[in-house]
Amino acid sequence: MPDNINPFDGIKKEISNLNIKNKGLDSFLPQGNSDLFELKLKSIALEEIENGIIISKENEIVWINKKAIDLFGYSIDELKGKNIQLIYPLKNGKSLLEKIDGQISKSNIFEDEVICKSKEGTLFTVSQTTLKVDDDNSETPYFITVLEDVTKRKEVEKHLANVEAREEALLKNIPDLVLKCYVNGYIISYHERKNEKFPLPKGDLVKKNITECFPKEFSLRTLFFMERALQTGEVQSFIYEAKDKRKVYYEEARIIPTANDEFIIMIRDMTSRYLADMEIKKNIHQMEADAENLTLMSTKLAESEEKMRELNVNKDKFFSIIAHDLKNPFNALLSFSDMMANQLDELTKEEIADFSSRIYKSANDVYNLLENLLEWSRIQTNRIEHFPVKFNLKSTINEAINLYRSSAVNKNIDIQNLVDEKITITADRNMISAVFRNLISNAIKFTSKNGAIKVVCILKGQNLMISVEDTGNGMSEKTLDSLFKIESSIRELDTEGERGTGLGLILCKEFIEKHGGKIWAESELGKGSNFHILLPK
């Protein structure tokens, strides 16, 4: 309470409204003079306030209001005329009035905190404000004291002091710059860390705005996250990259919302940890990439190993088939040439002509087989050259037809090339010619006498689909599935009762796929076969 304010100002205005008798205080108060009457009036006013007591200079309780009676736990009779030491411990009570009197001589009002004792013996702290009232006739002063129980407040203050002490001890041992701010960014208090990297202004930061104390980008981001923390009630954080003359460093700011729109801002140097985390993440990414590459390489290696195993098995089977196919024509060559060499005088001209024809056919079959084997081996070792040129498709197919025209005439097979004369294609001409030679030759072999073969071509988008169709024996589904496979041992008999090697179709597949194309067959037993080729135009 300020020194220049009298707590009893204005009391005389209320005198006419007070009914002393109704208050029941007449017999309790001294009688006979105006000062005592005024004291009486003041005591009536005290009845309306907290914990009021009137004490005589002899340390006797002259008057006490009901709230004070309740505070100490006594009745009026137990306190009336009793020494003040009843409610003030001896240590305080003995010198209380002397202390008050000495202080009031300097000022009209005395304020202090003292220890009081209840009827039950409980000690508690009160804040007292005392006014001295002098009696001009008897020179006997009275002291009007207003008490306030501050025990709980003292406990809170003690607790806060302990909290503040713990906070101070905590702040001294943490490596963070800690700020307490209002929502508008003005600093309430702060704890500065050692080796501060932020270029903080000199002097006290209290009452300054963070925009005055920190780099602009950091300040704006801090205010932004303070607003977000205010809206969400959750802790916000961000990493700030700063630069000094020598290096880059990183600061983590954590914005913690507290009561009354205030914030705790903790700023920690995260440079070492941030760089370590970045390095760890980099290493993890590299390890993940390496692991992925290793997995991919392992998968490819396993696939390659499996493919090589299959190729070796298939080649073994393939060479076994080829060996068998070579043996048959050589048996014919040896047999017929032996007969001609040892029995020539006994043979007729017709027999010699027949044997010679058979020897030629066997030798030609061996030659064609060996030529296909050579082409296949060149493909497998990537030694075959690929030279795309633009050429007329129909004329190339005609060359293949003319090569086997005599075989078709012998079986009375009609061959038609229905490809448009204007169609051209860009491809390796030698490879495409070899494909049509194989397909035309096979069609003649597997087409019965008086049959028909035709070659057609249609445009499909940016591709050409060329088909070789025959009216031959056709193929079973099992034979269709085995076509174009090197390991296949399923070979159909041609119309002369001989089996093909299947190597020609394998070469066709290799050549077509080298051009980015596709080859497949459609057939049913007894209904002929259709071989289709799809090539980029």
Side-chain angles (χ1 to χ4, degrees):
M1 180 183 296
D3 293 341
N4 60 348
I5 298 177
N6 189 329
F8 302 110
D9 283 350
I11 194 170
K12 291 182 179 180
K13 295 179 182 178
E14 305 298 329
I15 290 177
S16 59
N17 297 324
L18 294 175
N19 187 333
I20 297 173
K21 291 183 179 181
N22 289 344
K23 291 291 182 179
L25 299 174
D26 302 59
S27 61
F28 195 77
L29 291 174
Q31 303 290 326
N33 62 61
S34 60
D35 288 327
L36 291 179
F37 181 72
E38 184 177 354
L39 178 61
K40 189 173 183 179
L41 292 178
K42 291 179 179 179
S43 69
I44 294 170
L46 286 173
E47 186 70 26
E48 305 300 322
I49 64 175
E50 294 286 338
N51 308 320
I53 303 176
I54 299 177
I55 308 168
S56 71
K57 190 170 183 179
E58 287 75 25
N59 292 321
E60 292 181 356
I61 299 173
V62 177
W63 177 86
I64 182 168
N65 71 1
K66 187 177 184 307
K67 292 180 181 178
I69 290 169
D70 293 339
L71 176 65
F72 291 103
Y74 290 97
S75 66
I76 291 178
D77 293 335
E78 289 174 321
L79 291 177
K80 180 179 178 182
K82 299 298 189 292
N83 193 289
I84 192 67
Q85 290 181 5
L86 182 63
I87 57 176
Y88 285 85
L90 183 61
K91 183 178 178 181
N92 292 325
K94 185 176 181 180
S95 59
L96 177 65
L97 295 182
E98 294 175 356
K99 182 178 180 181
I100 292 173
D101 196 27
Q103 292 294 328
I104 287 182
S105 63
K106 301 176 183 178
S107 174
N108 191 37
I109 294 176
F110 173 72
E111 294 180 353
D112 193 13
E113 286 186 358
V114 295
I115 302 297
C116 292
K117 182 173 68 173
S118 69
K119 183 178 180 180
E120 295 177 351
T122 304
L123 298 178
F124 55 95
T125 305
V126 297
S127 172
Q128 64 178 11
T129 303
T130 304
L131 175 67
K132 182 179 180 182
V133 180
D134 291 318
D135 182 349
D136 294 337
N137 297 325
S138 62
E139 296 184 355
T140 301
Y142 292 88
F143 298 91
I144 300 175
T145 300
V146 178
L147 306 176
E148 179 187 359
D149 185 358
V150 294
T151 304
K152 290 185 178 179
R153 190 189 75 190
K154 298 297 287 185
E155 290 174 355
V156 171
E157 288 176 353
K158 183 178 179 180
H159 174 72
L160 290 175
N162 291 335
V163 170
E164 289 175 358
R166 287 197 296 269
E167 287 180 353
E168 184 63 26
L170 178 64
L171 290 174
K172 286 180 179 178
N173 289 282
I174 64 173
D176 299 345
L177 169 62
V178 182
L179 307 172
K180 188 174 183 181
C181 298
Y182 293 115
V183 69
N184 57 8
Y186 281 92
I187 299 170
I188 302 169
S189 61
Y190 70 100
H191 164 73
E192 189 171 352
R193 66 190 174 189
K194 294 180 181 179
N195 302 319
E196 186 58 64
K197 292 182 178 179
F198 274 119
L200 297 176
K202 294 181 180 180
D204 194 357
L205 303 185
V206 175
K207 295 184 180 180
K208 291 184 179 179
N209 197 284
I210 60 173
T211 56
E212 304 174 58
C213 306
F214 297 97
K216 181 179 179 181
E217 181 185 348
F218 178 86
S219 301
L220 292 176
R221 292 181 69 183
T222 301
L223 291 172
F224 170 79
F225 282 104
M226 285 170 65
E227 183 64 29
R228 179 180 287 180
L230 183 65
Q231 293 173 358
T232 63
E234 298 176 351
V235 176
Q236 304 292 319
S237 64
F238 66 89
I239 297 291
Y240 171 70
E241 180 182 306
K243 296 180 181 179
D244 61 15
K245 294 179 180 179
R246 297 181 180 179
K247 65 175 184 178
V248 176
Y249 62 93
Y250 299 89
E251 298 282 344
E252 181 190 49
R254 295 179 64 82
I255 294 93
I256 306 167
T258 62
N260 302 321
D261 293 347
E262 295 176 358
F263 297 88
I264 299 294
I265 302 173
M266 304 180 71
I267 304 168
R268 175 170 294 187
D269 181 9
M270 300 289 288
T271 304
S272 298
R273 178 178 168 183
Y274 184 80
L275 293 177
D277 287 347
M278 292 295 289
E279 188 65 26
I280 289 171
K281 288 179 181 178
K282 180 180 176 182
N283 291 336
I284 289 173
H285 288 321
Q286 186 60 48
M287 289 170 65
E288 288 175 346
D290 292 343
E292 188 175 344
N293 290 334
L294 285 173
T295 303
L296 184 61
M297 290 174 63
S298 177
T299 302
K300 287 184 176 180
L301 185 62
E303 290 174 352
S304 177
E305 185 179 355
E306 182 63 25
K307 189 175 181 180
M308 288 297 295
R309 189 181 294 110
E310 289 178 3
L311 284 174
N312 287 332
V313 171
N314 293 340
K315 284 180 181 179
D316 289 343
K317 185 181 288 188
F318 175 68
F319 285 129
S320 175
I321 295 169
I322 294 301
H324 183 271
D325 290 337
L326 282 171
K327 185 178 178 181
N328 286 338
F330 271 110
N331 282 337
L333 279 172
L334 291 172
S335 176
F336 289 119
S337 60
D338 178 67
M339 291 177 66
M340 291 181 69
N342 296 315
Q343 302 177 26
L344 183 62
D345 294 339
E346 301 174 7
L347 297 174
T348 64
K349 289 184 178 181
E350 288 78 11
E351 288 175 329
I352 292 172
D354 180 52
F355 289 168
S356 298
S357 175
R358 290 176 182 270
I359 290 171
Y360 172 77
K361 184 178 182 304
S362 295
N364 192 55
D365 288 344
V366 170
Y367 176 81
N368 289 333
L369 178 58
L370 291 175
E371 190 178 50
N372 282 338
L373 276 173
L374 179 61
E375 288 293 327
W376 179 78
S377 67
R378 289 172 64 195
I379 290 173
Q380 297 304 306
T381 55
N382 291 318
R383 288 186 292 112
I384 193 165
E385 296 178 343
H386 181 222
F387 294 113
V389 293
K390 189 175 182 180
F391 58 91
N392 185 273
L393 183 60
K394 184 165 186 169
S395 62
T396 301
I397 295 171
N398 279 335
E399 289 173 4
I401 292 173
N402 291 334
L403 189 62
Y404 298 102
R405 179 72 69 181
S406 59
S407 298
V409 170
N410 290 336
K411 297 175 72 173
N412 196 31
I413 295 173
D414 179 37
I415 303 178
Q416 296 183 65
N417 183 359
L418 303 178
V419 176
D420 192 321
E421 293 181 354
K422 297 178 181 179
I423 294 177
T424 59
I425 189 171
T426 300
D428 186 298
R429 196 170 189 277
N430 291 330
M431 291 185 186
I432 300 303
S433 294
V435 170
F436 285 115
R437 287 199 301 270
N438 271 285
L439 294 181
I440 297 297
S441 174
N442 286 344
I444 293 172
K445 283 181 182 180
F446 291 96
T447 298
S448 301
K449 291 181 179 181
N450 304 316
I453 299 170
K454 65 179 178 179
V455 183
V456 297
C457 178
I458 60 173
L459 184 64
K460 278 201 165 187
Q462 297 298 315
N463 299 309
L464 293 174
M465 191 174 83
I466 308 137
S467 301
V468 178
E469 304 172 0
D470 65 57
T471 59
N473 300 334
M475 291 177 281
S476 66
E477 188 174 338
K478 189 174 183 181
T479 302
L480 269 176
D481 290 339
S482 69
L483 292 178
F484 310 109
K485 295 178 182 177
I486 192 171
E487 72 275 14
S488 175
S489 59
I490 300 174
R491 294 169 296 155
E492 296 289 331
L493 293 172
D494 63 17
T495 57
E496 300 297 325
E498 295 182 0
R499 296 183 188 277
T501 64
L503 183 57
L505 288 178
I506 293 169
L507 285 174
C508 289
K509 181 175 183 291
E510 297 279 2
F511 287 153
I512 294 300
E513 288 180 351
K514 253 190 179 309
H515 286 79
K518 180 181 177 184
I519 183 170
W520 71 99
E522 296 174 346
S523 182
E524 288 184 43
L525 280 174
K527 293 186 179 181
S529 301
N530 296 333
F531 281 82
H532 306 290
I533 299 169
L534 193 68
L535 283 171
K537 187 176 178 183

